[in-house]
Amino acid sequence: MDRKRITAGRNWKNLLILFGPAWLVMMADMDASSTIGAAETGALLKYSLVWFLLLLAIPLYFIQETSGRIGIATEMGLGEIIRKNYSRRVSLLMTLPMALTDVLTYAVEYAGAAVGFAVFGVSTYLSVPIIFIVHLLIVIGRKYEQAERVLLVLSPLLFLGFALVLIESGIKPYPLFYFSLSSSYLFLVAANVGAVVMPFMLFFQASATAIKFSVRKTSIPKSLAVNRVRIETAVGAIATELLMVMVEMSMAGADPSTNFLSPRSLSSALSSVAGSFSPIFFSIGLISAAFLALVVISLGSAWGVVEALGVKKDKTYLVYLLESVPAALIVSLIPVGSLAQAILNLLVFLVFALIGPGIVQGLISSNPKVMGELKKITRLTP
């Protein structure tokens, strides 16, 4: 009996030894833009895209599994691998569009967190500087695993906040399927696709997994490490799509004209479809989602840029500042509510921004000289 317990304990230790990167990148996938996109979808289409959101867990898993496997096989980030196997120019071509769009993505995260705090009566002029400073304290001058611990503690709040809103709103007898070729419907479908896989996710998971595996590789072989990362990626893919579903279902029946980046409009919509406590619950989820994503996007984007340039990672703070400062100023100077339509447009654009890095990632993952025995892993073991 004791031997069985010891073996079971070792199995759990092996399962969790690389835990973190895949889970966090999936939680960051449910960022402020995804939350607002899912809320807009629920208000306009009710439960009609729930089936589609659940299906999107499949491509999300395969894309991110590939990213994690590359990190283990090479012990390098995606930007560095592209630079070494192609050229610096190609690597920059893959990373700079991500960095540029991430400035707006940063702004969305600041805006989402600011709206959440505004529901609690905290002014944007106070909340944005606080978020900016705390975010930089976490990412500048710290090792990845130190930042990871903070985010792992934060991640359950996403589920707590959004689940409580859904519980308060209740499940309603809305149709579960609807399809149309109208431009408005196809636009929402594209926005939801863009919310599933964002360019920074590829770079973050490869780099973070490489960092973690390089520390743990003496105690776990590559083949077993890949299996552990695949399990974490699969669980995370399902979890993040369930979060999207929770938000969509919670907002079903809300006024389609609701501006989800207006604290007053958001509170009114939530109170009408759920209950008096739902604005508080939703704000907890929104603040947590936005802040967690802000840190993960910072790391993924900065790692990708410095790897593409071939400079040391201690220069990443320059990328943080170049992206964060303009974004924080945008949110501080421009009314947050005016960014609502920009968020949906951003999500649609991210579909196209992902094409280049996605293709190159596929080429790298199928290259036996780069991947070795991890070119293709067909067996998944618990």
Side-chain angles (χ1 to χ4, degrees):
M1 187 70 168
D2 291 338
R3 186 174 297 175
K4 288 182 178 179
R5 287 179 178 174
I6 292 171
T7 302
R10 286 176 178 171
N11 287 340
W12 273 107
K13 185 178 179 181
N14 284 336
L15 180 62
L16 298 175
I17 198 168
L18 294 176
F19 183 81
W23 175 256
L24 289 179
V25 81
M26 295 303 183
M27 293 301 97
D29 189 26
M30 187 59 186
D31 69 335
S33 62
S34 297
T35 301
I36 300 303
E40 293 271 7
T41 301
L44 291 168
L45 299 176
K46 299 183 173 63
Y47 295 177
S48 298
L49 278 189
V50 167
W51 63 275
F52 185 67
L53 293 177
L54 294 175
L55 282 178
L56 287 175
I58 298 172
L60 172 60
Y61 164 75
F62 282 108
I63 292 171
Q64 292 304 132
E65 182 275 337
T66 301
S67 186
R69 183 153 43 93
I70 288 173
I72 292 173
T74 63
E75 297 182 40
M76 292 185 290
L78 190 57
E80 184 177 1
I81 299 165
I82 297 172
R83 176 171 53 82
K84 288 187 174 182
N85 286 274
Y86 294 95
S87 68
R88 182 180 178 182
R89 181 178 298 177
V90 172
S91 189
L92 286 171
L93 188 63
M94 297 298 104
T95 56
L96 288 183
M98 170 190 67
L100 292 173
T101 57
D102 280 346
V103 174
L104 183 53
T105 306
Y106 271 76
V108 172
E109 308 311 337
Y110 282 122
V115 169
F117 277 114
V119 171
F120 291 102
V122 180
S123 168
T124 298
Y125 297 110
L126 179 61
S127 63
V128 171
I130 290 174
I131 297 163
F132 176 81
I133 292 169
V134 175
H135 154 244
L136 291 184
L137 287 175
I138 291 176
V139 298
I140 291 182
R142 290 178 179 269
K143 293 182 179 179
Y144 163 69
E145 289 192 343
Q146 292 175 322
E148 181 187 83
R149 283 193 285 270
V150 175
L151 299 180
L152 287 174
V153 172
L154 186 64
S155 63
L157 292 179
L158 279 72
F159 287 92
L160 177 65
F162 296 140
L164 288 174
V165 176
L166 181 58
I167 290 170
E168 194 170 12
S169 66
I171 307 297
K172 301 177 178 67
Y174 292 127
L176 295 176
F177 181 85
Y178 171 73
F179 182 78
S180 171
L181 293 176
S182 68
S183 58
S184 59
Y185 179 86
L186 295 177
F187 179 82
L188 278 177
V189 168
N192 279 279
V193 172
V196 170
V197 186
M198 304 178 195
F200 77 85
M201 296 172 65
L202 279 61
F203 289 88
F204 176 86
Q205 188 162 349
S207 293
T209 303
I211 291 169
K212 198 144 191 178
F213 179 71
S214 66
V215 176
R216 304 283 194 269
K217 62 184 178 182
T218 56
S219 58
I220 182 170
K222 284 187 175 181
S223 58
L224 182 58
V226 168
N227 272 299
R228 296 311 180 235
V229 170
R230 292 183 77 194
I231 292 172
E232 183 185 345
T233 303
V235 172
I238 294 169
T240 192
E241 291 310 304
L242 286 176
L243 285 169
M244 290 281 286
V245 167
M246 286 181 193
V247 174
E248 180 182 334
M249 294 178 70
S250 298
M251 292 299 178
D255 185 346
S257 65
T258 299
N259 184 343
F260 291 99
L261 281 180
S262 164
R264 181 177 296 179
S265 181
L266 174 65
S267 295
S268 176
L270 283 164
S271 298
S272 65
V273 297
S276 57
F277 290 106
S278 58
I280 295 173
F281 298 148
F282 188 85
S283 295
I284 290 172
L286 183 58
I287 293 168
S288 304
F291 187 79
L292 189 151
L294 188 63
V295 176
V296 172
I297 292 169
S298 296
L299 296 173
S301 185
W303 285 339
V305 171
V306 298
E307 288 164 2
L309 291 171
V311 300
K312 293 182 179 180
K313 284 192 174 180
D314 60 4
K315 303 296 183 184
T316 51
Y317 73 92
L318 294 174
V319 183
Y320 301 147
L321 294 175
L322 286 172
E323 291 182 335
S324 277
V325 172
L329 289 174
I330 288 171
V331 176
S332 298
L333 299 175
I334 297 175
V336 173
S338 64
L339 294 175
Q341 184 59 42
I343 289 176
L344 294 179
N345 294 333
L346 172 66
L347 291 175
V348 173
F349 177 77
L350 289 176
V351 176
F352 300 98
L354 183 69
I355 293 174
I359 291 173
V360 175
Q361 178 185 260
L363 293 173
I364 289 171
S365 67
S366 61
N367 187 337
K369 292 182 180 180
V370 178
M371 299 298 293
E373 63 176 0
L374 299 185
K375 175 187 173 185
K376 188 175 182 182
I377 300 292
T378 57
R379 186 166 171 242
L380 179 62
T381 56

